[in-house]
Amino acid sequence: VSRERLVVIGADAGGMTSASQARKRRGAESLEIVALDRGRYASYSACGIPYWIGGLVGSVDALLARTVDEFRKQDIEVRLRQEAVGLDLDAGVVTVHDHETGGDYALGFDQLVLGTGAVPVRPDIAGFDAPGVYGVQTLDDGEAVRAAVAADGASRAVVVGGGYIGLEMAEAFVERGLEVTVVEAAPQPMSTLDPDVGALVAEAVRDLGITLHSDEQVTEIRTGAGGEAIGVVTAEREIPADVVVLGLGVRPNTALARDAGVKIGVTGGIVTDKRMRTASHRNVWAAGDCVQTVNRVSSVPVHVPLGTHANKQGRVVGINIGGGYATFPGVVGTAVTRVCSLEVARTGLREAEAEQAGLRFVSTLTESTTRAGYFPGARPITIKMIAEKRSGRLLGAQIVGEEGAAKRIDVLATAIWNEMTVEEVSGLDLSYAPPFAPVWDPVLIAARRSWDAVELDVRADYTPQP
Amino acid sequence: VSRERLVVIGADAGGMTSASQARKRRGAESLEIVALDRGRYASYSACGIPYWIGGLVGSVDALLARTVDEFRKQDIEVRLRQEAVGLDLDAGVVTVHDHETGGDYALGFDQLVLGTGAVPVRPDIAGFDAPGVYGVQTLDDGEAVRAAVAADGASRAVVVGGGYIGLEMAEAFVERGLEVTVVEAAPQPMSTLDPDVGALVAEAVRDLGITLHSDEQVTEIRTGAGGEAIGVVTAEREIPADVVVLGLGVRPNTALARDAGVKIGVTGGIVTDKRMRTASHRNVWAAGDCVQTVNRVSSVPVHVPLGTHANKQGRVVGINIGGGYATFPGVVGTAVTRVCSLEVARTGLREAEAEQAGLRFVSTLTESTTRAGYFPGARPITIKMIAEKRSGRLLGAQIVGEEGAAKRIDVLATAIWNEMTVEEVSGLDLSYAPPFAPVWDPVLIAARRSWDAVELDVRADYTPQP
């Protein structure tokens, strides 16, 4: 067999996991691996950036999963500050711009992995590209925010957007002792939750001392004499700011792939088959925040930029390039976050998603505690459950609580994965001891309530109307 | 309809949940409810007793789920210190001994719930019934141990048996500042775990400053001049003790039921159908630590005395007596415990149980951390997985670790419940954020390793032998 070359575009979770897995199955004599990245770092935990900014993680080194040297020992060549700017899939050639020398060069490939990740959403409003307005997607972003926070007199931070990243950044600024304001356009923060659960989050966030303006659109970033951001303007008010962070979410970074003729889906992400192969070319693969996947509950295409999916997809790509067989099974939409002592998690479909999928459902909200009520450290937990009408199939769940609450979402993600009914969930053999749960775990109580609601709903359907 | 009388024998989790659920569906005009208990308390958390003794739970009141007065408000009459000493199922009459007056009386019933619980295993060895040797099944036991610990000069506690209760009592005595020795007859503590996982527990328990003598049979309880326990004798040594606690486990308390002709199973527990009805009489039900259930993985009858099962079974009984329909689905053998900072959990089958069920399997041990490695509070976690040969079906899992480790067993219990393969488990959409998990949750890493082992095993089967 002749030696092939694998080129990986984007040296982060999706791309580098692909590279490592391919290497495990094919030695350097069979496969040369070159990974390109436009940034200064390879393979880091982007999810850890807010904690680095907040100071919970002391050093940037902690976020680096593997260094370029470590990859070299695996016979994987990582070229940093080398940006793929052109792609000819039929010819099998990437055009690379070298940010160090300023020159371009061509790099041929036999196999290609697109791991181009995501880019922050930047709305088209005056001042959004001003100095002093930061994203938090890359370590370079993180360094810039750290410097801004450390600057003389920095005391007021404004976070635009109250989703996962926005709230994590709010925590980071609280940790740093800044006065923090979050501005969210929707009526509640965390638009991936139902509004009633979002309202619980809003209340808890405000109790933490964070100012939250929801239902308020940012109309402008006010800039100072030097063109730098000095405040955030909404229809209601102007909020002075020493640091402005964008927490508006991200979109798949697919310009390069799209221009090269790779099929892009309705979510803006790259379309692949189950083995993570693109539709257009059998030797072109994709993984991570740039791809589109499917929600197993609704069967709807979704874009879910999360490190854990990027790793799983990269592994699938690498095994397949390595000559093995692996598939990515899709997602059920599980996510978790923490804001100081507050824990928030979700899985499956929220109400709006269930409606879009044409499903009818019954919702319940259940309060309990994370440990036996009498046990030290018992904390509040609220579980929302969404069960399909009639069948009682669990469609979605959301959790808001304190320490020990959020990780319980995994049980519900597993239940949804297996298409369990809430009645079945209420019978699950979950672990019990006073330091870990009440004698009825909150998950079991919530499932019981949900099943009761499903039964009441059935009864209502069969009760003759006057 | 004429009014029926429900008599409940044993006013704890199984019995009183039955009573409450029956009451929800049938008012006092339809159903009179009388619950009998030989003890001084109704409906308490026996699982909380070690924490009460240890001082983590300050007051006995915290352990009382509901008082006799609260039950009275539900029109449920609880008669304490009234012991059922005879049972005529055909006539529908219980003979009750009143420990207050010393007299006996007859009580007729239309429906009967047996909730007689379990009694501690007391080996037939000299001194085991001496004063100063305590069980920890009842609040009366707990009060006695608290008094013994508080007595002048009490400084040395010996726990006979290193299972769940034994280790929880060891923690309690550590909390109380006593010098603690645990004696276990088996080679490792926690015989519900595989020996290799038990060895990890043994090491961690010793690191906590607890003296653990395993593979050592207790031959005698040494008694003093007044007949009171003063030490524990084994083949190897004599251990002086101010307090001796029995942690040898419990057996179903079924003498009364057996004498009345109720069918008892191979485990010593009462046999019921799925609705928790006894085989002999359609109006006689059973719930809680006195019943036998089935392990869903092995299909083998088991006796699992746990408050969470007692509650679920009691609920099933009450719904059925109330005219509804409910079944108890069996268990997968989930259990969890904590010894100071150590967390231990299990679910499904351990190796010996899988062998007994005629299953062949592949075992793996995986180490990880409870949070992202760089995140403050990341703690070690070790997961053992037992997967069926060829199919890769998850048969069992065991976890040893520190804070945040043990409750992950619930995901695996849910996976086993749904007969997932370890490959499927490795694809689960579990929640990820640095404060909650590494980017690959330990459960996913363990499942991946387990699947790799299953594949290697298949390959070995197909590799021609020389």
Side-chain angles (χ1 to χ4, degrees), chain A residues 45 77 114 194 255 258 352:
Chain A
S45 171
E77 183 190 349
L114 297 166
D194 285 326
R258 183 192 300 263

Side-chain angles (χ1 to χ4, degrees), chain A residues 17 25 45 47-48 51 56-57 62-63 168 306-309 311-312 315 329-338 343 347 371 374-376 403 406-411 413-415 417-418 420 424 426-437 439-441 444 448 452 455, chain B residues 17 25 45 47-48 51 56-57 62-63 168 306-309 311-312 315 329-338 343 347 371 374-376 403 406-411 413-415 417-418 420 424 426-437 439-441 444 448 452 455:
Chain A
T17 309
R25 291 174 174 251
S45 171
C47 335
Y51 306 102
L56 274 175
V57 175
L63 301 184
E168 285 165 7
L306 265 180
T308 184
H309 300 325
N311 271 277
K312 284 195 196 113
R315 185 164 180 270
V331 303
V332 294
T334 311
V336 66
T337 193
R338 195 185 81 162
E343 298 189 356
T347 189
R371 304 175 171 199
Y374 57 78
F375 204 87
E403 192 177 5
K407 252 296 184 184
R408 282 179 156 95
I409 204 72
D410 288 349
V411 175
T414 307
W417 192 279
N418 289 286
M420 294 180 84
E424 287 167 338
S426 77
L428 279 173
D429 186 0
L430 303 184
S431 58
Y432 162 62
F436 298 100
V439 68
W440 291 96
D441 192 279
L444 301 177
R448 246 170 50 194
D452 285 348
E455 290 221 307
Chain B
T17 309
R25 292 175 172 251
S45 171
C47 335
Y51 308 101
L56 275 176
V57 174
L63 301 184
E168 285 165 6
L306 265 180
T308 185
H309 301 324
N311 272 277
K312 284 195 196 113
R315 184 164 182 271
V331 303
V332 294
T334 311
V336 65
T337 194
R338 195 185 83 163
E343 297 188 356
T347 190
R371 305 175 171 197
Y374 58 78
F375 203 87
E403 193 177 5
K407 251 299 184 183
R408 283 177 155 96
I409 204 73
D410 288 349
V411 174
T414 307
W417 192 279
N418 289 286
M420 294 180 85
E424 287 167 339
S426 76
L428 278 173
D429 186 1
L430 303 185
S431 58
Y432 162 62
F436 299 99
V439 69
W440 291 96
D441 192 280
L444 301 177
R448 247 171 48 194
D452 285 347
E455 290 220 308

Side-chain angles (χ1 to χ4, degrees), chain B residues 182-208:
Chain B
V182 176
V183 185
E184 167 62 47
Q188 299 298 348
M190 303 285 284
S191 61
T192 55
L193 304 175
D194 285 326
D196 56 344
V197 180
L200 296 177
V201 173
E203 196 187 324
V205 162
R206 289 185 177 118
D207 285 349
L208 292 167

Side-chain angles (χ1 to χ4, degrees), chain B residues 254-255 257-258 261-271 290 292:
Chain B
T254 54
R258 184 191 300 264
V262 172
K263 189 175 172 191
I264 307 296
V266 290
T267 66
I270 294 169
V271 175
C290 61
Q292 168 173 302

